[in-house]
Amino acid sequence: MDSWMLMILVFMPELTAVLKPSTLKEGDDFSLTCMSGCPTSTTIVWFKDGQQVWKPRSPVRREDAGSYFCAVLGQETVRSNSVTLNVQYALKSVTLSVSPPGDVVKGSSVTFNCSSDANPPVEPRGYSLYMDGQLISSGQEHTISDLQPRHSGLYHCQAWNNVSWRGDDMMNSTDVHLDVLYGPENISISVDDQQFTEGSSVNLTCSSVANPAADNYSWYKRTDSPSSSSWLQVGWGQVLSLPSVEASHTGLYLCQASNSVGTGNSTDLPLSLKTEDPGSQIHLIIAGVGVIVLGTLVVAHLLYWKKQRTNAAEKRTAFGLKLSGEGLSSSSTEDQLDTVYANINTPSSSRPKNTHYKHYVPSFDEAELIYTTVAIKPRNNSRAPQESLAIIGESEDSVIYSTVVTYR
């Protein structure tokens, strides 16, 4: 009996599983063999994580990772040692989750969490969170405890594990849109003029900032009584129209805006009637008087200028007549007359042979009109060049037209 048992132990196959190398990256070549001490040929089968599988082949895939052992077909209870095939691979996927999911309200909190599928796993410092392309924080988790409208935007997570795939060892998650909801804020009333004339038209417009946009507007007017004051609703909608205002429309107005999140009120806006300003009337009177005085001065100046022109013309006429008389009587005085130009045209046939024209007495019917230019020289002894009266006559009346009567 003992010898029979000894024979069984001797002929039981000895199996050894060998993996080279034990750790490799996706796409690398490897060798997985099963060594048997049985002298006869046997059929080897492989198991992965306890399940029979086909022997994996090179190049290795990430799906090949696991624990392997081999056995002889028909004697699967006799197994080899286990070997672990560790396949490192780049990031397969990156996911960004938000908690709580769905819409968030201003003032609440939200947590972002990054996860990925990679080997080796991404360490916490290998994650980064971005909002609208700007880095927010580093780490696998990020919490915003007091949400504000400025936190609305597109978020994504970026992961890195130092194993590249096609030259890239980083991967981004898909974008997650965070929409922070809040009630109406910055509510204001706009109007063309807070003072209006009776009978005119006035439109009050209410505006606000909200998410979602305000969908309900109400208008209130303050009413005062001797005992108390209250707000009376006077309209609905974003615009309150007063087509023909009167004194009863004066007072304080308020707009209330609301949406699905909340309600808010504007500040008070006073409306009043326009009154005449005595100061403005005084200004108009002063301006009118100024215009009248200025007009009077302009007219007076024009009349004075015209009178001066008239006096100058009269003086030129009188001076011309005087100069004409003196020229005829003192034509022989050399210190008074510098040059006399005379143009006397008489027929030569009627001129007497005697060269002393001053003794010639012509007849009246032989008279001819002659224009003579006379230049007057000053009586002083200065020899400085003097402009002839003919030239000065362009600006002064120094050109004198004399009438000379000659007789044929």
Side-chain angles (χ1 to χ4, degrees):
M1 184 66 179
D2 292 339
S3 60
W4 174 251
M5 292 295 297
L6 182 61
M7 289 179 62
I8 294 176
L9 292 173
V10 170
F11 290 103
M12 291 222 19
E14 184 179 350
L15 302 176
T16 304
V18 178
L19 174 64
K20 294 183 179 180
S22 59
T23 300
L24 53 139
K25 294 181 180 180
E26 185 176 24
D28 291 348
D29 292 331
F30 70 101
S31 172
L32 180 63
T33 58
C34 185
M35 301 178 64
S36 172
C38 183
T40 60
S41 176
T42 57
T43 302
I44 302 297
V45 292
W46 288 93
F47 292 83
K48 173 189 173 184
D49 298 333
Q51 301 295 324
Q52 186 174 346
V53 294
W54 295 102
K55 177 183 176 181
R57 300 179 180 275
S58 296
V60 69
R61 303 171 302 168
R62 69 182 66 182
E63 295 83 0
D64 295 333
S67 178
Y68 289 86
F69 64 86
C70 59
V72 175
L73 182 63
Q75 299 180 15
E76 287 82 359
T77 56
V78 180
R79 302 175 177 179
S80 69
N81 59 305
S82 296
V83 293
T84 300
L85 178 59
N86 184 18
V87 181
Q88 295 183 346
Y89 54 91
L91 290 157
K92 184 176 182 181
S93 63
V94 179
T95 304
L96 175 63
S97 59
V98 182
S99 179
D103 296 334
V104 290
V105 180
K106 176 183 175 181
S108 62
S109 63
V110 67
T111 299
F112 298 91
N113 187 276
C114 296
S115 59
S116 62
D117 178 12
N119 188 31
V122 177
E123 298 180 2
R125 61 184 179 88
Y127 292 100
S128 300
L129 183 65
Y130 291 82
M131 172 189 168
D132 295 332
Q134 301 296 321
L135 178 64
I136 299 300
S137 67
S138 296
Q140 190 170 3
E141 189 173 277
H142 178 74
T143 299
I144 302 175
S145 57
D146 184 18
L147 284 172
Q148 297 298 318
R150 68 176 182 274
H151 294 132
S152 296
L154 291 176
Y155 290 79
H156 76 268
C157 180
Q158 186 180 81
W160 167 80
N161 75 336
N162 203 28
V163 178
S164 64
W165 169 251
R166 297 179 180 177
D168 192 3
D169 56 0
M170 292 186 298
M171 179 177 286
N172 294 335
S173 69
T174 56
D175 291 337
V176 174
H177 181 242
L178 182 68
D179 193 19
V180 180
L181 306 181
Y182 56 96
E185 298 177 352
N186 301 326
I187 305 172
S188 61
I189 302 174
S190 60
V191 63
D192 294 338
D193 193 352
Q194 292 181 226
Q195 291 186 336
F196 52 87
T197 58
E198 193 167 359
S200 62
S201 175
V202 175
N203 289 327
L204 305 180
T205 303
C206 186
S207 60
S208 64
V209 178
N211 184 28
D215 53 6
N216 187 21
Y217 292 91
S218 300
W219 292 92
Y220 297 87
K221 182 179 180 296
R222 183 172 178 175
T223 58
D224 295 324
S225 63
S227 59
S228 64
S229 62
S230 60
W231 291 93
L232 176 66
Q233 187 170 2
V234 294
W236 298 266
Q238 193 169 3
V239 178
L240 176 64
S241 296
L242 304 176
S244 179
V245 296
E246 53 190 33
S248 62
H249 290 134
T250 60
L252 296 176
Y253 286 80
L254 177 146
C255 171
Q256 185 179 84
S258 61
N259 63 1
S260 59
V261 180
T263 301
N265 296 333
S266 69
T267 56
D268 302 344
L269 177 72
L271 290 183
S272 60
L273 285 173
K274 287 183 178 179
T275 57
E276 294 294 335
D277 185 6
S280 62
Q281 293 182 353
I282 294 175
H283 292 162
L284 290 176
I285 293 172
I286 293 175
V289 172
V291 171
I292 294 173
V293 171
L294 180 62
T296 303
L297 292 176
V298 171
V299 171
H301 179 73
L302 291 176
L303 293 174
Y304 176 77
W305 177 75
K306 185 175 181 181
K307 184 177 180 181
Q308 291 294 101
R309 290 287 302 270
T310 303
N311 292 339
E314 292 176 355
K315 289 179 181 180
R316 287 196 297 271
T317 303
F319 180 74
L321 294 175
K322 181 179 178 181
L323 183 61
S324 176
E326 290 180 355
L328 293 175
S329 63
S330 59
S331 59
S332 61
T333 306
E334 224 176 279
D335 56 11
Q336 293 180 1
L337 298 177
D338 184 27
T339 306
V340 178
Y341 297 92
N343 183 14
I344 304 174
N345 295 319
T346 58
S348 59
S349 59
S350 62
R351 184 175 297 174
K353 300 294 184 179
N354 192 348
T355 59
H356 301 284
Y357 297 106
K358 62 182 177 179
H359 302 294
Y360 174 68
V361 181
S363 60
F364 185 77
D365 58 349
E366 296 176 351
E368 181 178 353
L369 181 62
I370 303 300
Y371 294 93
T372 302
T373 303
V374 180
I376 305 303
K377 181 178 181 182
R379 292 179 182 272
N380 57 27
N381 296 328
S382 175
R383 293 301 181 182
Q386 301 292 329
E387 294 182 352
S388 67
L389 291 177
I391 298 176
I392 299 174
E394 295 178 3
S395 61
E396 298 180 5
D397 300 316
S398 60
V399 179
I400 307 301
Y401 295 92
S402 301
T403 303
V404 180
V405 179
T406 61
Y407 299 92
R408 293 182 175 86

